[in-house]
């Protein structure tokens, strides 16, 4: 009996939901200048609005990760998609006459962005858990790279569309359309998604293929308790490799959040482009980032198949990508040449996406039953940058009225991430918990050997 390939449907669903996820994060960036003009917001206020999503998103990660490890991905994730899309839709009502003052409208925008952040909190912990469940080890980096590429291709294709919508029908319509699309897909998720053992599309041959490769039902899962033990979490947090992973995630996400928040504003005000031209110009860095994330994941898996260690295969793309990301500072010398500036931004964003293996490494080193909880912590560090960076950039703009110091800031943070991987991250292998029984320890060792 040939194995079915139902895991590819799951991967396609993750691709679509990730594209929707990032569309709903970035639509505020596209509408940002128009909202700022309509409500007379200062750069610092706009930076606060950009970061509000991430405050709530980051604070929700640990409780959501804990719930995910107990409840599972289907209901939690599907409900979350519907909720964040509903709040996205409601953001379009901020200019309604119901809100009689600018302060009320601004407060409503802040509240909606916070609610979107809470609702989106299960996204990447769920994605990581689903990939670790549905895919064998040697397919995991490519699968992660494929769904992660959706954030970039979605932005590349949808940013010009959203810019056109904003220019033609107003910024409110961009929220109505993106919110409706998410609500419909959330309902589809609830109807279709199942874990491997419950899927009618998956035959026994595919289940065996997944299990033998370290996915659902493998020794990695059977050798661990399904109970989330806080003593285990404390032990995990004592490992310097985990802290290196956390710091690098913050660094990589700092660049990403620039492109999700201030990027269109930079193209308009830093390079002097119209909103229509900015939407088109934004396509190139986003497309390059899509290529970068696919290349990074493919290279990592290819190195594994050629017999290189998991440590080398994971660290090479991350470290080289973060190092080249720092070249974004070169854009400061070409602000009067938009074509060259966009080229530099494209190279830097390609490199940043090339380094995007944080979630893969998380699934490589964290025992399966703790991925939701520790993945939530990883997401906190990644999204602290979404809190800090937009506000820092807003303050810089308010004090200097240009983007040069903002670019130096992003480059410096990328270099910190490179140093974290160089100095803190050791061997990439499953962390063996100290209280395991001899059989559990043996299971961990077998998984570690298979991951090298």
């Amino acid at each position: 009996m040939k194995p079915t390939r139902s895991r590819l449907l799951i991967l396609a669903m993750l691709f679509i939901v990730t594209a929707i996820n990032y569309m709903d994060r970035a639509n505020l960036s596209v509408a940002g200048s128009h909202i700022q003009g309509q409500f007379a917001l200062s750069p610092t206020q706009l930076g606060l609005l950009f970061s509000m999503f991430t405050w709530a998103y980051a604070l929700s990660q640990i409780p959501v990760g804990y719930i995910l490890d107990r409840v599972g991905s289907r209901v939690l994730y599907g409900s979350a998609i519907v909720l964040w899309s509903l709040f996205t839709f409601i953001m379009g009502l901020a200019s309604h006459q119901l809100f009689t003052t600018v302060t009320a409208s601004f407060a409503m925008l802040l509240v909606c962005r916070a609610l979107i952040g809470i609702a989106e909190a299960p996204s990447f912990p769920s994605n990581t858990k689903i990939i670790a469940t549905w895919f064998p080890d040697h397919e995991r980096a490519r699968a992660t790279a494929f769904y992660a590429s959706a954030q970039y291709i979605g932005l590349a294709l949808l940013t010009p569309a959203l810019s056109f919508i904003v220019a033609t029908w107003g910024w409110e319509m961009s929220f109505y359309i993106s919110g409706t699309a998410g609500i419909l897909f959330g309902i589809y998720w609830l109807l279709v998604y199942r874990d491997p053992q419950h899927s009618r599309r998956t035959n026994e041959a595919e289940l065996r293929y997944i299990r033998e490769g370290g996915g659902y039902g493998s020794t990695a899962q059977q050798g661990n308790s399904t109970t989330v033990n806080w003593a285990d979490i404390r032990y995990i947090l004592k490992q310097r490799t985990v802290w290196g992973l956390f710091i690098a995630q913050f660094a990589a996400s700092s660049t990403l959040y620039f492109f999700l928040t201030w990027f269109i504003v930079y193209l308009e005000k830093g390079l002097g482009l119209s909103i229509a031209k900015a939407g088109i110009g934004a396509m190139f860095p986003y497309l390059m980032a899509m290529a970068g994330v696919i290349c990074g994941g493919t290279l990592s898996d290819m190195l594994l198949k050629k017999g290189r260690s998991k440590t080398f295969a994971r660290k090479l793309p991350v470290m080289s990508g973060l190092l080249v990301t720092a070249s974004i500072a070169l854009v400061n010398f070409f602000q009067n040449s938009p074509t060259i500036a966009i080229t530099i931004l494209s190279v830097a964003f390609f490199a940043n996406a090339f380094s995007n293996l944080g979630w893969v490494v998380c699934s490589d080193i964290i025992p399966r039953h703790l991925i939701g909880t520790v993945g939530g912590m990883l997401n906190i560090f990644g999204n602290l940058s979404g809190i800090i960076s937009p506000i820092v950039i807003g303050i810089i703009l308010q004090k200097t009225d240009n983007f040069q110091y903002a670019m130096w800031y992003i480059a410096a943070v990328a270099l910190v991430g490179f140093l974290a991987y160089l100095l803190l991250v050791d061997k990439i292998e499953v962390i063996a918990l100290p209280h395991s029984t001899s059989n559990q320890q043996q299971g961990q060792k077998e998984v570690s050997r298979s991951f090298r």
Side-chain angles (χ1 to χ4, degrees), residues 240-252 300 310-323 354-365 378 413-428:
R240 71 176 194 171
T241 290
V242 173
W243 283 97
L245 179 62
F246 287 170
I247 293 169
Q249 194 76 355
F250 176 92
S300 182
K310 177 159 286 192
T311 301
F312 181 82
R314 301 308 194 213
K315 291 178 77 170
L316 177 64
V318 174
M319 294 176 66
S320 59
L322 286 170
L323 192 60
F354 189 80
S355 72
N356 186 18
L357 291 180
W359 287 102
V360 179
V361 176
C362 179
S363 68
D364 287 339
I365 68 174
L378 176 67
V413 173
L415 288 175
V416 169
F418 167 80
L419 292 173
Y421 251 78
L422 179 66
L423 302 175
L424 297 178
V425 176
D426 289 325
K427 200 170 189 178
I428 306 294

Side-chain angles (χ1 to χ4, degrees), residues 218-225 232 235 367 369 429-450 452:
S218 68
T219 305
Q221 293 191 2
Q222 294 173 348
N224 289 291
S225 168
D232 292 345
Y235 181 79
H369 70 295
E429 61 183 4
V430 178
I431 297 172
L433 301 174
H435 67 277
S436 301
T437 66
S438 58
N439 288 337
Q440 290 173 334
Q441 289 174 339
Q442 181 62 31
Q444 291 280 9
K445 290 176 182 177
E446 290 173 1
V447 174
S448 298
R449 283 197 296 269
S450 68
R452 291 173 190 167

Side-chain angles (χ1 to χ4, degrees), residues 211-268:
R211 182 169 56 248
E212 291 174 353
Y216 175 80
S218 68
T219 305
Q221 293 191 2
Q222 294 173 348
N224 289 291
S225 168
T226 58
T227 302
V228 178
N229 187 318
W230 288 103
D232 292 345
I233 298 296
R234 286 193 295 271
Y235 181 79
I236 292 289
L237 293 179
K238 292 178 181 178
Q239 311 305 309
R240 71 176 194 171
T241 290
V242 173
W243 283 97
L245 179 62
F246 287 170
I247 293 169
Q249 194 76 355
F250 176 92
S253 296
S254 293
T255 303
L256 173 61
Y257 270 102
F258 165 75
F259 281 94
L260 288 176
T261 56
W262 284 103
F263 178 45
I264 300 296
V265 179
Y266 171 75
L267 294 179
E268 290 183 84

Side-chain angles (χ1 to χ4, degrees), residues 133-427:
T133 299
W134 270 96
F135 286 84
D137 169 60
H138 62 276
E139 293 181 358
R140 201 168 294 153
R142 280 172 294 173
T144 301
F146 179 79
Y147 86 70
S149 71
Q151 62 190 290
Y152 306 114
I153 192 170
L155 292 172
L157 298 178
L158 295 173
T159 297
L162 290 172
S163 299
F164 175 79
I165 291 168
V166 169
T168 306
W169 294 293
W171 62 266
E172 298 91 344
M173 186 59 67
S174 66
F175 292 99
Y176 295 148
I177 291 175
S178 53
T180 300
I183 290 170
L184 293 176
F185 187 80
I187 295 170
Y188 175 79
W189 178 280
L190 289 168
L191 294 174
V192 173
Y193 179 80
R194 298 292 186 277
D195 285 334
Q197 72 276 24
H198 301 306
S199 175
R200 295 180 180 179
R201 297 178 175 86
T202 308
N203 65 10
E204 181 58 36
E206 185 176 14
L207 285 174
R208 184 168 58 252
Y209 175 76
I210 294 170
R211 182 169 56 248
E212 291 174 353
Y216 175 80
S218 68
T219 305
Q221 293 191 2
Q222 294 173 348
N224 289 291
S225 168
T226 58
T227 302
V228 178
N229 187 318
W230 288 103
D232 292 345
I233 298 296
R234 286 193 295 271
Y235 181 79
I236 292 289
L237 293 179
K238 292 178 181 178
Q239 311 305 309
R240 71 176 194 171
T241 290
V242 173
W243 283 97
L245 179 62
F246 287 170
I247 293 169
Q249 194 76 355
F250 176 92
S253 296
S254 293
T255 303
L256 173 61
Y257 270 102
F258 165 75
F259 281 94
L260 288 176
T261 56
W262 284 103
F263 178 45
I264 300 296
V265 179
Y266 171 75
L267 294 179
E268 290 183 84
K269 297 186 176 181
L271 301 185
L273 303 179
S274 67
I275 180 63
K277 289 183 178 179
I280 295 172
M283 289 178 61
F284 299 101
Y286 290 143
L287 288 172
M288 286 290 285
M290 179 201 69
V293 74
I294 292 174
C295 289
T298 301
L299 174 64
S300 182
D301 277 354
M302 183 182 71
L303 290 170
L304 276 180
K305 291 187 74 172
K306 289 183 175 295
R308 302 306 296 264
S309 71
K310 177 159 286 192
T311 301
F312 181 82
R314 301 308 194 213
K315 291 178 77 170
L316 177 64
V318 174
M319 294 176 66
S320 59
L322 286 170
L323 192 60
V324 177
T325 298
S327 68
I328 195 170
L330 295 175
V331 78
N332 289 335
F333 302 102
F334 298 97
Q335 287 185 307
N336 295 323
S337 304
T339 301
I340 298 175
I342 290 173
T343 300
I344 293 170
L345 291 166
S346 298
V347 171
F349 206 16
F350 173 93
N352 178 256
F354 189 80
S355 72
N356 186 18
L357 291 180
W359 287 102
V360 179
V361 176
C362 179
S363 68
D364 287 339
I365 68 174
I366 304 301
R368 192 79 71 242
H369 70 295
L370 300 177
I371 284 178
T373 305
V374 179
M377 296 177 184
L378 176 67
N379 227 6
I380 286 177
F381 277 84
N383 286 283
L384 278 175
S385 62
I387 296 171
I388 295 171
S389 295
I391 294 176
V392 168
I393 293 172
I395 293 171
I396 289 172
L397 289 176
Q398 191 152 334
K399 290 186 176 297
T400 67
D401 201 31
N402 69 66
F403 278 88
Q404 290 194 3
Y405 287 104
M407 294 305 182
W408 287 115
Y409 163 77
I410 294 168
V413 173
L415 288 175
V416 169
F418 167 80
L419 292 173
Y421 251 78
L422 179 66
L423 302 175
L424 297 178
V425 176
D426 289 325
K427 200 170 189 178

